[in-house]
Amino acid sequence: MMSEFTAIGPGISRIDFAGGVQKKDKVITLILECQSKLPTDEDIKRFFQYVSLMRIFKNNDVELFILCIEKAPYTKKEFIINDECTYTMHVIS
């Protein structure tokens, strides 16, 4: 389990979490990103770097969830990198 807490300014902070979840004989890595605003393109790029690293080093499936205060116009987005690689980003606001 890993977590990150960043104090950005007075009353503004962010906490992130990554950990493993056991489901039957399979381990799934769960990444939670907490944001006050919807993720920017730069944020999404950073998230997928996390997902890629977890996928490579842990060798298991990865689920990415964005917890966001700002209301999102979507609950999930899929990013198709190529025929064999699709990232799904779940957004909870």
Side-chain angles (χ1 to χ4, degrees), residues 3-71:
S3 62
E4 171 192 8
F5 179 78
T6 307
I8 299 171
I12 303 170
S13 58
R14 183 184 78 205
I15 188 164
D16 304 322
F17 168 84
V21 177
Q22 183 80 34
K23 186 175 182 181
K24 295 186 182 178
D25 59 344
K26 188 176 186 180
V27 175
I28 298 171
T29 298
L30 180 66
I31 299 176
L32 297 177
E33 281 281 339
C34 301
Q35 305 255 130
S36 57
K37 296 185 179 265
L38 287 174
T40 63
D41 289 344
E42 283 299 310
D43 291 329
I44 292 169
K45 183 178 175 182
R46 178 173 49 89
F47 299 158
F48 290 146
Q49 288 172 342
Y50 292 167
V51 169
S52 296
L53 288 171
M54 290 293 206
R55 180 72 179 103
I56 290 167
F57 291 119
K58 294 290 188 178
N59 196 27
N60 55 27
D61 292 340
V62 179
E63 289 287 335
L64 170 65
F65 289 86
I66 310 301
L67 304 178
C68 181
I69 294 172
E70 186 177 342
K71 180 67 179 157

